[in-house]
């Protein structure tokens, strides 16, 4: 009978990779708390309407990629495809969003999107997410961007490109939408995919981030939002760029950066790397004024970002496994209890290590102790068992001595 395998697009994280994730989380905690952000953990499962409303029905994420099912209580539920909607839902529900006051949350965890898996693109992936809710000021956008930069450089990741754009607001977006619709109407729009033929009328911005190659080719010369933004948006973006310049952050303006979620307004950004294959975005975010209200909360603006942990892991140096203080090998079956109790005493002295009572040869056990870089190898064989002693071998200089086990009491 063949063994059961994991689901396509889902991954197991063994210690080497899990250490990378733990390191990213610890670094995020450290950096984000310096910016006054607190950790918020939200459920992986939410009501489907939260994402349909928040992310937008016409987005690929909602239209094609969600893991949605009806539960035993006949409710339509969805595994979160991103964190922002859930974070805002939680903050609104807890009454944590007050007008005129900024609230800062970060969150980590698995997200789920039914995309075609490839290098750097998973169906279950992990994000590190941060939201600054309540500040309309351009300085809030910059603070969030600087926090992201601080985090990425604390991980030692280099050669990243920050791309910035402004997507306009409720005031100026309608003119841009009509310009886009006219552009698509004038084209041979029969070549667009079925979704985009609909979206060019209902939500033409979404045609711009369609992943279908034929659509990608047709949007190459589409009008850009920058030609349609209102004075308020232009001033906001100018202030963002001026402060980013003052802070010394290098960036590229990308007038074609639209992001794949409907909630963005004004500043949007992505951080890309040329070193991870076709999926170049390691982080993305922006301002989402109007979203809190759309989800039933007060009229509070917000700005945030999320990093893809799998993609960051590809760019990071893998942290070394912690070096164990001891490796305790038992070569006489009578000594197993003694060894377990000795290891327990060593651990009570804050030493770490494993107790090996397998039946392998001493040579292979010592090889293993070397491989895991144990500082000392403790051995209890027949002689030691009978004399109530343990042999301790220093793995650095090979020096060996015998100690009374009772001395560890
Ligand atoms: P997003 O651009 O959809 O934004 O995702 C953020 C990051 O998650 C991407 O840049 C990428 O690194 C990673 N990611 C997305 N999908 C996958 C996947 N299938 N496999 C591996 N990694 C993936 C958001 O999710 C927004 N909620 C970000 C945000 C927070 N905006 C404001 N606040």
């Amino acid at each position: 009978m063949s063994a059961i395998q994991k689901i396509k697009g889902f991954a197991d994280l063994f210690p080497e990779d899990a250490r990378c994730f733990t390191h990213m989380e610890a670094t995020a905690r450290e950096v984000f708390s310096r910016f006054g952000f607190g950790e918020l953990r939200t459920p992986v499962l939410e009501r489907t309407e939260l994402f349909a409303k928040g992310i937008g029905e016409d987005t690929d994420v909602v239209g094609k990629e969600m893991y949605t099912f009806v539960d035993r209580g006949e409710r339509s539920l969805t595994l979160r495809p991103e964190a922002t909607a859930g974070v805002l839902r939680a903050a609104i529900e807890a009454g944590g969003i007050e007008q005129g006051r900024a609230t800062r949350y970060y969150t980590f965890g698995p997200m789920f999107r039914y995309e075609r898996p490839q290098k750097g693109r998973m169906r279950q992936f992990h994000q590190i997410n941060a939201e600054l809710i309540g500040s309309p000021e351009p300085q809030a956008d910059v603070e969030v961007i600087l926090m992201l930069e601080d985090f990425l450089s604390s991980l030692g990741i280099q050669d990243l490109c920050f791309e910035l754009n402004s997507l306009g607001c409720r005031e100026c977006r309608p003119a841009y939408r009509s310009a886009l619709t006219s552009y698509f109407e004038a084209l041979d729009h029969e070549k667009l995919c079925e979704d985009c033929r609909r979206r060019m009328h209902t939500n033409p911005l979404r045609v711009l981030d369609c992943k279908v190659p034929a659509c990608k080719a047709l949007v190459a010369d589409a009008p850009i939002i920058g030609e349609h933004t209102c004075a308020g948006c232009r001033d906001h973006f100018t202030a963002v760029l001026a402060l980013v310049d003052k802070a010394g952050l290098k960036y590229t303006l990308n007038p074609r950066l639209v992001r794949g979620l409907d909630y963005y307004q004004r500043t949007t950004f992505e951080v890309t790397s040329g070193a991870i294959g076709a999926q170049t975005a390691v982080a993305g975010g922006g301002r989402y004024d109007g979203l809190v209200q759309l989800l039933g909360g007060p009229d509070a603006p917000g700005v945030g970002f999320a990093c893809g942990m799998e993609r960051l892991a590809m760019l990071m140096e893998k942290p070394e496994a912690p070096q164990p203080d001891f490796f305790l090998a038992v070569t006489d079956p009578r000594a197993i209890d003694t060894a377990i109790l000795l290891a327990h005493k060593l651990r009570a002295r804050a030493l770490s290590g494993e107790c090996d009572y397998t039946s392998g040869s001493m040579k292979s056990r010592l090889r293993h102790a070397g491989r895991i870089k144990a500082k000392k190898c403790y051995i209890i064989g027949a002689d030691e068992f009978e004399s109530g002693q343990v042999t301790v071998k220093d793995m650095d200089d090979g020096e060996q001595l015998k100690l009374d086990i009772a001395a560890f009491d």
Side-chain angles (χ1 to χ4, degrees), residues 171-336:
E171 303 297 314
C172 49
R173 193 73 70 74
Y176 180 53
R177 286 165 61 122
S178 340
L180 276 179
T181 304
S182 311
Y183 167 82
F184 291 125
E185 274 169 349
L187 277 182
D188 190 2
H189 53 258
E190 289 307 308
K191 287 192 182 138
L192 290 170
C193 74
E194 199 187 322
D195 285 318
C196 285
R197 285 204 298 275
R198 177 179 45 80
R199 294 192 285 209
M200 65 179 262
H201 300 290
T202 58
N203 194 345
L205 241 88
R206 293 284 63 93
V207 181
L208 301 181
D209 62 78
C210 181
K211 297 181 190 96
V212 175
C215 302
K216 276 188 173 176
L218 285 178
V219 303
D221 297 319
I224 53 173
I225 179 79
E227 292 158 358
H228 298 267
T229 41
C230 62
C233 287
R234 276 200 300 277
D235 289 349
H236 196 274
F237 197 43
T238 304
V240 168
L241 298 182
L243 187 53
V244 171
D245 281 334
K246 273 192 201 156
L249 178 76
K250 298 267 171 297
Y251 61 88
T252 313
L253 288 177
N254 178 356
R256 301 214 169 266
L257 176 69
V258 287
R259 311 274 302 125
L261 314 166
D262 266 357
Y263 51 62
Y264 290 111
Q265 296 204 7
R266 296 198 159 170
T267 315
T268 48
F269 51 90
E270 265 181 17
V271 183
T272 56
S273 162
I276 50 172
Q279 301 304 313
T280 57
V282 297
R287 180 163 278 288
Y288 45 80
D289 301 353
L291 179 59
V292 175
Q293 206 174 22
L294 183 72
L295 296 177
D299 186 12
V303 56
F305 65 78
C307 306
M309 295 177 76
E310 282 76 3
R311 294 185 193 174
L312 292 181
M314 289 196 263
L315 295 168
M316 268 172 61
E317 241 178 71
K318 295 222 185 304
E320 293 258 336
Q323 191 180 6
D325 296 299
F326 68 86
F327 175 80
L328 201 170
V330 192
T331 58
D332 185 323
R334 291 174 301 163
I336 297 179

